[in-house]
Amino acid sequence: MQGIFEQAIVYPDTDYMERFHDLVGLDDYKERLRRILILLINPDALNKWKSKYHPGAKTAINSVLKRPPLIVFIGDVGSGKSELAITIGDYVAREEKIDITLLPLSLSSRGEGRVGQMTQLISGAFEETYQKASQLKSNGSKSRGAIILLVDEADALAQSRESSQMHHEDKAGVNAFIRGVDRLGNGKVPAAVIMCTNRSNSLDPAIKRRAAEILKFERPNDIQRRKVIETPLKELGFQEDQINQVVKITGVNDKRKYGFTFSDLIQRLIPCVVLQAFPNSKVDPDKAIDFIKDLTPTKPFKEEV
């Protein structure tokens, strides 16, 4: 199993709690993902909801409970999908008062090209996830913990088998991936798989069909960009009209058809404003705005069809 997973993360963890709260503008996705994960840990909660509000809704409830434990995040670079996937476990762990372990699948699981190696590695990763999750089941309705298997850059492992250029070994790996997802679902263990990709057309259709949710992450709109930059810019002395200028500058304009990503705002724009003045002066908002005008957002990922 060595090399299949990157460093496991056990929640709750204060660092990830802060990172989760720093993800602004994604409240709807946070809530939808939270509900899915809670039902994996405590499926009886949905039956209690049915008894209270819809006693006769047996078929509808079963359709929810039988969904495979797979969530797919699709979106451009810097849209927040990987960060949400990494941090959501902390939020659910705190709310449910349990430990949740994140197992990030390493891209080294593609192996070195030897026949059967990729399939064995993927099967091994799902087996480890299943075994760890099985140990967390309890006699009661609520599990003692949960496992999240994170597959970032998922198209590297689960690309469509319909491609004429796809190698037999890669197809076998995708088959192993599908079997792994099905086993987690059929075993009713407290485990979920979160896949992240910026190449939506590359994922195998059978994987998309199995997804309980496919969440598409877009670049932040005006309201979302304001939520990201308003507090830090106010701390640096920006007035309301100056913040409005920054919101406009970082959006779509006549020169480009795309605005700044979440990571552009958090990791580049705010630090650049600070470092422009550091270490000899305070931030001058007007000068900072002129500087921001020269910043360029990350170009959108263009998927080859």
Side-chain angles (χ1 to χ4, degrees):
M1 296 301 296
Q2 185 176 4
I4 292 183
F5 299 114
E6 297 173 5
Q7 182 64 45
I9 302 169
V10 179
Y11 312 109
D13 182 296
T14 303
D15 289 341
Y16 291 94
M17 177 184 70
E18 293 175 356
R19 287 170 60 174
F20 178 80
H21 287 298
D22 286 342
L23 279 171
V24 298
L26 296 175
D27 293 344
D28 179 55
Y29 283 4
K30 286 180 177 181
E31 180 59 22
R32 289 165 66 179
L33 188 54
R34 179 190 71 87
R35 293 181 184 184
I36 294 172
L37 295 178
I38 285 178
L39 287 181
L40 288 172
I41 298 164
N42 186 12
D44 195 50
L46 192 60
N47 287 319
K48 291 181 179 178
W49 174 86
K50 175 178 76 75
S51 298
K52 183 176 181 179
Y53 295 105
H54 300 280
K58 181 179 179 180
T59 303
I61 298 306
N62 285 340
S63 69
V64 176
L65 295 176
K66 289 181 179 179
R67 294 194 302 176
L70 173 64
I71 306 105
V72 177
F73 289 0
I74 295 173
D76 202 357
V77 293
S79 57
K81 60 186 184 298
S82 294
E83 186 71 359
L84 179 57
I86 291 171
T87 59
I88 186 65
D90 182 84
Y91 180 44
V92 177
R94 292 178 188 277
E95 187 162 294
E96 293 297 303
K97 296 179 174 58
I98 59 171
D99 286 348
I100 293 179
T101 300
L102 180 78
L103 298 177
L105 188 64
S106 172
L107 284 181
S108 64
S109 56
R110 285 185 63 89
E112 300 170 353
R114 293 195 295 270
V115 176
Q117 185 183 26
M118 179 179 171
T119 301
Q120 292 173 3
L121 290 169
I122 293 175
S123 297
F126 274 98
E127 178 64 23
E128 184 77 0
T129 301
Y130 181 86
Q131 293 300 332
K132 288 183 178 295
S134 296
Q135 295 171 9
L136 298 172
K137 293 181 70 174
S138 64
N139 295 329
S141 61
K142 183 176 179 179
S143 301
R144 299 189 303 275
I147 305 293
I148 298 175
L149 175 60
L150 173 60
V151 187
D152 210 350
E153 299 184 42
D155 46 275
L157 291 174
Q159 58 185 299
S160 176
R161 292 165 295 177
E162 296 176 346
S163 172
S164 59
Q165 300 177 348
M166 192 175 191
H167 191 273
H168 170 75
E169 172 67 3
D170 291 328
K171 291 182 179 181
V174 175
N175 288 334
F177 199 99
I178 292 171
R179 288 195 301 270
V181 171
D182 288 344
R183 188 184 182 199
L184 293 180
N186 295 333
K188 299 187 182 302
V189 294
V193 182
I194 299 179
M195 305 178 70
C196 300
T197 182
N198 50 21
R199 301 177 62 194
S200 61
N201 293 333
S202 297
L203 288 183
D204 191 271
I207 290 177
K208 289 183 178 180
R209 287 197 300 270
R210 281 167 169 77
E213 288 275 6
I214 297 179
L215 304 180
K216 187 174 182 180
F217 289 68
E218 306 283 1
R219 294 195 176 211
N221 56 30
D222 289 358
I223 295 174
Q224 291 170 318
R225 292 198 308 280
R226 173 177 288 278
K227 285 185 178 181
V228 173
I229 65 175
E230 187 170 31
T231 296
L233 291 185
K234 280 185 176 180
E235 293 173 348
L236 296 171
F238 281 65
Q239 301 301 311
E240 192 68 23
D241 63 322
Q242 293 168 324
I243 293 175
N244 289 338
Q245 290 183 60
V246 176
V247 171
K248 183 177 180 180
I249 292 169
T250 55
V252 176
N253 57 39
D254 294 336
K255 295 182 179 180
R256 62 171 189 266
K257 297 181 179 180
Y258 54 91
F260 281 52
T261 67
F262 282 106
S263 60
D264 288 334
L265 299 173
I266 297 169
Q267 298 177 16
R268 293 178 55 217
L269 188 147
I270 299 300
C272 284
V273 169
V274 172
L275 294 177
Q276 184 198 27
F278 174 86
N280 298 317
S281 64
K282 66 184 298 184
V283 171
D284 182 323
D286 290 327
K287 289 183 178 179
I289 288 173
D290 288 336
F291 181 77
I292 291 170
K293 289 178 181 178
D294 292 330
L295 291 178
T296 55
T298 303
K299 290 184 178 180
F301 178 85
K302 291 185 179 181
E303 183 171 1
E304 295 182 2
V305 180

